[in-house]
Amino acid sequence: RQLMKRYSLAELPSRLFADTAMRYSTVSSPPDFSRWKAIQETEISARFDETSRALAASMERLRALAGGDSKAAKDIAAALTGIPDIPEQDDLSALASFIGRCDKLASVSIKGAVTKPDLVETKEILADLKGTVYPEFLSTANYLLNRPFVDETFSLLSEFQERFNLQKRTEGVLTFPDVSRLALDALIDDPSLRLAYKESTSAIMIDEFQDDNAMQRDLL
């Protein structure tokens, strides 16, 4: 049900599972999905801290500017009321509640032209908060809130990959990425083979090198 919020039933098997396996999963060096997930979580954790600091700074500046009598100042002050400190990333219930309160702040806007310096600054901060700061925070927070589904997706991909590569071995079938990866692994693992090609080749001319993918680059 969670995956079908993003994919239709018709496209889910091909786009998520088959395409991933065909592009990245090779019989000789299959991707370690648990390692990929660990890398992703490390990056998300760092990004959450970074975006939290940016959001906190924006809200603190808005609090300092929200003391005026204008309608915008009053709207901002009301939206800021009750917003707690940004919770820790492992406190998911507090994080969900925090997002619900921040959505109200992100909906505040100052319409029309303004000339007073405090309103000009307030309008700029609001625009930055709604256009960049809050969406970036929200994207990392949503990952954390949906981590159980991410974990299960990686688990499903690992299981699918195992079955996919077993079937290829059983039937003696190789994909194009399999062939490239096997050649690359042979050169990496066998120094004598690598030396033989090195000694027999004086130059390689590559047309349209910018169109090579990473595996082709490494093979060359």
Side-chain angles (χ1 to χ4, degrees):
R1 286 196 299 269
Q2 289 295 324
L3 291 173
M4 285 178 62
K5 291 178 180 179
R6 180 171 180 86
Y7 303 99
S8 70
L9 182 59
E11 66 182 355
L12 176 59
S14 62
R15 289 194 60 189
L16 180 59
F17 293 99
D19 286 358
T20 302
M22 289 294 290
R23 288 187 180 194
Y24 304 109
S25 182
T26 58
V27 291
S28 61
S29 298
D32 183 347
F33 285 107
S34 61
R35 186 178 69 86
W36 283 14
K37 183 167 72 71
I39 293 171
Q40 191 175 81
E41 289 188 346
T42 298
E43 176 66 19
I44 288 293
S45 179
R47 289 287 295 152
F48 180 83
D49 291 341
E50 180 183 335
T51 58
S52 293
R53 288 192 295 270
L55 179 59
S58 294
M59 290 192 298
E60 186 62 28
R61 189 59 189 144
L62 286 173
R63 284 190 180 95
L65 293 166
D69 294 328
S70 67
K71 180 180 183 303
K74 292 178 179 179
D75 288 344
I76 293 170
L80 286 167
T81 301
I83 295 182
D85 292 337
I86 299 174
E88 296 296 326
Q89 55 184 279
D90 57 352
D91 191 347
L92 300 185
S93 60
L95 187 56
S97 176
F98 177 82
I99 290 171
R101 292 178 180 273
C102 279
D103 284 345
K104 183 178 180 181
L105 177 62
S107 67
V108 177
S109 62
I110 299 177
K111 301 185 183 301
V114 293
T115 56
K116 295 178 64 175
D118 59 333
L119 285 179
V120 171
E121 184 178 358
T122 300
K123 188 172 184 177
E124 290 174 350
I125 294 172
L126 277 176
D128 189 43
L129 184 141
K130 290 193 290 185
T132 304
V133 175
Y134 186 55
E136 289 184 353
F137 169 82
L138 198 58
S139 68
T140 59
N142 278 332
Y143 178 95
L144 296 172
L145 292 171
N146 288 282
R147 182 181 286 167
F149 306 117
V150 176
D151 290 346
E152 185 63 18
T153 300
F154 274 105
S155 177
L156 287 169
L157 285 168
S158 295
E159 181 181 352
F160 183 79
Q161 171 179 256
E162 185 177 344
R163 295 187 182 195
F164 177 65
N165 284 333
L166 177 60
Q167 190 69 20
K168 285 193 290 185
R169 290 190 183 94
T170 301
E171 297 185 9
V173 172
L174 295 176
T175 63
F176 284 114
D178 280 323
V179 175
S180 298
R181 187 72 237 186
L182 283 165
L184 178 57
D185 288 344
L187 290 169
I188 291 173
D189 297 336
D190 189 342
S192 61
L193 178 64
R194 193 164 64 246
L195 182 61
Y197 277 106
K198 187 173 182 177
E199 290 179 342
S200 66
T201 305
S202 58
I204 301 175
M205 187 177 77
I206 307 165
D207 188 32
E208 303 290 347
F209 182 71
Q210 74 276 5
D211 292 334
D212 284 357
N213 59 36
M215 190 183 299
Q216 292 167 335
R217 177 204 62 209
D218 293 344
L219 180 63
L220 290 165

